[in-house]
Amino acid sequence: MKEMDEKWFHQQADDAGQLTRLAERAQETFWGLLGCEVVKADGQKATICLDLIPSHLNLLGIVHGGVLMSLMDNAMGLVVMLAETTGRAVTANMNTHFLASTSSGLLLCEAELLHRSGRTITLQAEVKDEDGKLLAWGSGAYRLI
């Protein structure tokens, strides 16, 4: 039993180190420009957050739809990167349903892997405000290249 506990501990440490390295590299990309932060993530699910600032809003004073889509794409992409550590992937398709709006506060985006087939990974994601109101739901297909 002790050997299994040690293996589990080492795997958790390896996963945390990989996630830390990804987060550091991402700060120089669109992820960092947007202001995304990882809450938790693995090869099945990820939760990221974003604290809204005025540049995330449109002229109506509500969060821009592109921000919501970017959050979902980033969260789903993070799951794909952690699920497929030996290759690279790109977003092949993304469908989004905008359900409600907000203009301030913290947004949480949760993504989940649904299906793998050949070189395609299918996921779903949702964005909620800090009160738990569902703002957007989406799905995405990611192609391994």
Side-chain angles (χ1 to χ4, degrees):
M1 183 69 150
K2 184 178 179 181
E3 182 179 318
M4 187 168 181
D5 289 342
E6 284 183 28
K7 285 182 182 177
W8 179 86
F9 178 78
H10 287 292
Q11 182 60 48
Q12 296 302 310
D14 288 347
D15 291 349
Q18 179 186 13
L19 195 55
T20 299
R21 287 187 298 278
L22 275 173
E24 288 171 355
R25 286 184 23 226
Q27 288 308 307
E28 296 179 8
T29 68
F30 182 67
W31 167 284
L33 179 66
L34 195 60
C36 297
E37 293 184 31
V38 176
V39 176
K40 60 183 176 179
D42 60 37
Q44 290 295 313
K45 293 183 178 183
T47 302
I48 66 173
C49 67
L50 175 70
D51 197 9
L52 288 177
I53 58 175
S55 62
H56 293 139
L57 307 180
N58 62 24
L59 290 175
L60 298 175
I62 59 176
V63 64
H64 191 285
V67 171
L68 298 174
M69 290 183 75
S70 293
L71 265 177
M72 290 189 288
D73 191 30
N74 281 334
M76 290 187 287
L78 179 58
V79 173
V80 171
M81 283 190 286
L82 295 172
E84 188 60 42
T85 58
T86 60
R88 298 184 322 177
V90 294
T91 307
N93 182 43
M94 191 169 161
N95 295 303
T96 304
H97 299 266
F98 301 105
L99 306 170
S101 62
T102 190
S103 58
S104 64
L106 186 70
L107 301 183
L108 282 173
C109 180
E110 296 180 343
E112 177 181 18
L113 191 147
L114 296 177
H115 181 73
R116 291 183 75 142
S117 175
R119 292 176 31 207
T120 303
I121 301 175
T122 305
L123 300 95
Q124 69 178 3
E126 59 184 31
V127 179
K128 294 181 179 180
D129 69 8
E130 58 193 23
D131 296 323
K133 179 172 65 172
L134 184 61
L135 304 177
W137 179 87
S139 61
Y142 292 74
R143 184 81 170 153
L144 301 175
I145 56 172

